Amino acid sequence: MSLIVQKFGGSSVANAEGIKRVAKRIVETRKAGHEVVVVVSAMGDTTDELLDLAKSVSPLPTGRELDMLLTAGERISMALLAMAIKGLGVEARSYTGSQAGMITDGRHGSARIVDVTPGRVREALDVGAVAIVAGFQGFNRGTGDITTLGRGGSDTSAVALAAALDAEVCEIYTDVDGIFTADPRVVPTARKIDTITSEEMLELAAAGAKVLYIRAVEYARRHGVTLHVRSSFNNNPGTIVRNAREGDTMEEPIIAGIASDLTEAKITVVGVPDIPGKAAQIFTIVASTDANIDMIVQNVSSAATGLADISFTLPKSDGARVLQVLENNKADVGFTSLQYDDQIGKLALVGAGMRTNAGVSAKLFTALFEAGINIEMISTSEIRISVVTRADTINDAVRVVHSAFGLDSDVEALVHGGTGR
Ligand code: ADP
Ligand code: ASP
Ligand code: MG
């Protein structure tokens, strides 16, 4: 008898019918003789609606209260799911994150898991029950407060439980058939990937492919958890995400997939004295805000002025804070002005095979050129090339690059549920 962790995202449990459908599926797995631990997200767009509600009563709600509010979403779905499973004649018990032993640090809104003590989950399994755990939430021992793991964090809850309980597999059920070569909402002819390395998935997730939460992929990689991303709407096999094994590289496709991101903005620090230490000074100031900066480009300084421009990208949600600290240090750094641009889109082409393949960049840039799309910034890693374009060209950019690399499939991908919000 093996232990399986099954995580169901919000779109899979959007309404009563969805909850009943998911319950049936869990019961089938239990009846096949497996121990089943379920992690469930809030129903449909509940989390977004709760956030809207919070904003309508307070412009800047505190992290503690926001977490208290948001965790209510998962509490609703876990209890309903347990009821539905019991209705099918199988014992089930629901647990909040703290009851399930999801211990985190104290960072409200983006807490990290520091320990998992799933004693009560184990007890439930030992009496033959299905354990249902509320995703996305944890408990901080220091303050005794409830925390959340960041948007999309139920994936992390599932992986952490799978690691702690030594599960055979962690199944991530969602509204598409698996991980595709691009978001099927953007590229209907995207192709389903059968197996992808955690290294590649990490790059895709970092670049905006929200089908898996980046921290969940990191956690799975570190703990050697195998992920199976699949649809909760059918029984098709999905995508296996696992660590690379020796010899894998032999048959690797050059490109695994393409991701895009519209949540970033660009800050340009104009007129920075081109002398040693200025980049260090600027990014030390930026780092003090804890913002996650990504691409950095410095142009050549003009000989006449000895001044250079430095641009970098960062989440829009960090924009105001970073502009403020830079402005506060303007005289000290000695730059001329700041520019803020939140109309950018980022496209990333990912594939372990590009390591050994020259010409990938040329092909990417040519495809964009032929579509009349201007590239504003470029950055690369060993297995990724990213470019920044105007936001309103990003979906076209994804489609033309997808075709240029021969990734299109003959059949259209099905998106079963969800609003994509
Ligand atoms: P859940 O509610 O199950 O957590 P999410 O909305 O977080 O689901 O993730 C599933 C969605 O991720 C899909 O509906 C799809 O639009 C989007 N997505 C983005 N990139 C990809 C990709 N490469 N492959 C599959 N889905 C993707
Ligand atoms: N309900 C949370 C969210 O919408 C967590 C999750 O679904 O993974 O972000
Ligand atoms: Mg998700």
Side-chain angles (χ1 to χ4, degrees), residues 175-333:
D175 59 359
V176 287
D177 280 4
I179 296 161
F180 285 73
T181 47
D183 185 342
R185 286 179 206 266
V186 178
V187 186
T189 52
R191 190 185 300 159
K192 201 203 79 194
I193 302 168
D194 293 331
T195 308
I196 188 168
T197 62
S198 25
E199 191 189 20
E200 288 167 319
M201 191 58 227
L202 215 50
E203 291 279 10
L204 284 175
K210 73 162 186 170
V211 60
L212 277 179
Y213 186 46
I214 183 164
R215 284 197 190 162
V217 185
E218 266 165 8
Y219 204 105
R221 175 157 78 160
R222 220 171 326 118
H223 292 83
V225 175
T226 299
L227 300 174
H228 184 182
V229 180
R230 58 194 305 192
S231 169
S232 74
F233 294 80
N234 61 44
N235 272 316
N236 300 343
T239 304
I240 301 289
V241 186
R242 58 163 172 76
N243 289 346
R245 295 175 192 148
E246 221 157 310
D248 268 1
T249 44
M250 304 311 291
E251 340 161 25
E252 235 156 29
I254 295 166
I255 302 303
I258 303 168
S260 61
D261 190 352
L262 287 169
T263 66
E264 300 241 313
K266 176 172 81 174
I267 289 179
T268 303
V269 188
V270 180
V272 181
D274 194 8
I275 52 172
K278 283 297 157 189
Q281 198 180 0
I282 288 170
F283 288 103
T284 302
I285 294 164
V286 173
S288 72
T289 65
D290 255 349
N292 251 328
I293 62 146
D294 185 24
M295 294 163 95
I296 302 175
V297 171
Q298 174 175 342
N299 69 359
V300 182
S301 66
S302 103
T305 60
L307 298 176
D309 297 342
I310 297 180
S311 300
F312 58 91
T313 60
L314 78 177
K316 283 178 189 164
S317 52
D318 290 330
R321 257 180 329 130
V322 171
L323 283 173
Q324 189 59 57
V325 292
L326 282 171
E327 195 57 46
N328 294 347
N329 288 277
K330 185 174 175 182
D332 212 22
V333 180

